[in-house]
Amino acid sequence: MSTAEVVATYLVETYLPLEQAAEAIAGEQSTGTFTAVARETPELRARFAARVLSVEELPPTGNPDLPGTTRSRVPTGNPDLPGTTRSRVPTGSPDMPGTNTHDTSRDAGKRSARVRIAFGLDNFGPSLPNLLAAVAGNLFELRQLAGIRLLDLDLPAPFAERYPGPRYGVRGTRELLDRPDGVMLGTIVKPSIGLSPEELRLVVRELAEAGIDFIKDDELMGNPPHSPLADRVAVVTEELDKVAARTGRRPMYAFNITDDLDRMAANHDLVHAAGGTCVMVCVNLVGFSALAWLRERCALPIHGHRAMTGVYTRAPQLGIDYVAWSKLARLAGADHLHTNGLSNKFYETDEEVLRSITAVREPLLGGYETLPVLSSGQTPGLASETYRRTNTTDLLVLAGGGIHGHPSGPRAGVTAMRAAWSAATSGTDLTTAAKQVPELQEALNKFGSPYTGSGHGPA
């Protein structure tokens, strides 16, 4: 019998005593059910039951209750008449972050805690899907919980033995890009969908000649009839080869190969055979197991897109935190992983984004080096603050609208981004740098910077 354990950390909100709620999770996700059963012996429990390691009470969160929450503690006020049924109180739909309509007077008796639970590895083995069944399965549906969020996972060594993780990571990507230092700058093809392969050729040519490091398909661009993947691969690789012959530099292009398993493998082989240097997979759309399956067969860096991650991360009282999610994606083999960016167009705060970047950069099981990808509304005006707060250039910064929306076109957008990051890393004020680089001044005039009070902008 192995003594290895997975330790899962949760945010738990409940009207029950905190210890009782924690035990309900441990029981439901291991040997227990809603009632005692004959063969759940003390010996069986000693070997397979999950163990509550700690319950650290936290201040009230103010989060709305999950629908169907059991309120065993009756809020203060007049007592109910005998015979009143009050086991479930309708809570309505929980609000998303940023809304402020929750009636906190309904929360009397609700408590919050950080709970750590140990699951024996013998229960499921070093298997990502079966791990998730234990640490993130039916527990999200327990009525005893007004809120339940998986915050983090501590994984034992057998997972490293089973999953090799990223093949390229930061260093391998730098080698392929011939960019040994400095931030790596990239963009997304815009418009996201609708361009024909020949129109795409012109976009790629302009970006590559401007000195971009990385270009990728939008996650909406798969294998549509108007621009089949095979046609895009042929056009893009041909154009990149021509630019490389003229300039000596060949940007990395991440083709979106997300699809059913058999098609995903064929898509990878298509890109590899044509001389492509990167493939993109939408992690949540194929699942961690499919990503790990691809990693075993993949000869190219895997650009891990986070599309649909908000389903797990946005509601503060429910789901899987990005810290835990990113560990699973790294184990499965993502060489690059989207973290969002500062002052982004989505819901995350700068502090949440910085925590995600830190999570991706932290060693996992002694390795699993993955490149953080900053995206969503990135412009030259964000470079200095991003560098100041991350203190690293081991980043892939993607500017879609921030490059394609430049007043003088994408080529000028690349120049502006490069100048902004050069100024950031050298300690030069952006305003001073802009006097020397007209393209940067144009970008600052249009997009501004939220950190100098001049606003910010691409959608």
Side-chain angles (χ1 to χ4, degrees), residues 125-202:
S127 162
L128 287 177
N130 293 306
L131 165 69
L132 283 170
V135 302
N138 288 341
L139 60 89
F140 292 120
E141 302 176 56
L142 290 173
R143 293 178 181 174
Q144 298 97 316
L145 306 179
I148 177 67
R149 184 176 177 88
L150 175 62
L151 300 177
D152 201 356
L153 288 167
D154 293 323
L155 301 169
F159 277 92
E161 298 165 8
R162 166 64 182 83
Y163 296 98
R167 184 187 297 273
Y168 290 88
V170 178
R171 283 169 289 185
T173 300
R174 283 194 178 281
E175 289 175 7
L176 287 174
L177 290 176
D178 191 23
R179 182 70 67 184
D181 52 37
V183 74
M184 290 158 273
L185 292 178
T187 190
I188 309 97
V189 172
K190 297 293 179 182
S192 304
I193 55 175
L195 296 180
S196 70
E198 287 304 316
E199 289 172 317
L200 175 61
R201 179 193 297 276
L202 299 179

Side-chain angles (χ1 to χ4, degrees), residues 15 65-75 85-92 106:
Y15 292 90
D65 292 351
L66 294 175
T69 297
T70 295
R71 294 190 177 199
S72 63
R73 293 184 174 187
V74 179
T85 300
R86 195 167 180 167
S87 61
R88 294 183 68 189
V89 178
T91 60
R106 295 172 54 83

Side-chain angles (χ1 to χ4, degrees), residues 15-51:
Y15 292 90
L16 299 176
L18 290 171
E19 292 75 12
Q20 182 180 340
E23 291 292 349
I25 297 170
E28 176 69 27
Q29 298 307 120
S30 59
T31 62
T33 183
F34 68 94
T35 187
V37 295
R39 290 181 175 82
E40 189 183 356
T41 63
E43 293 77 17
L44 184 143
R45 285 185 53 81
R47 180 173 179 182
F48 295 107
R51 299 180 300 112

Side-chain angles (χ1 to χ4, degrees), residues 391-424:
N391 194 34
T392 185
T393 56
D394 281 340
L395 306 169
L396 175 55
V397 178
L398 302 184
I403 283 179
H404 294 275
H406 191 284
S408 295
R411 184 188 299 267
V414 174
T415 301
M417 284 293 292
R418 187 74 71 191
W421 272 93
S422 177

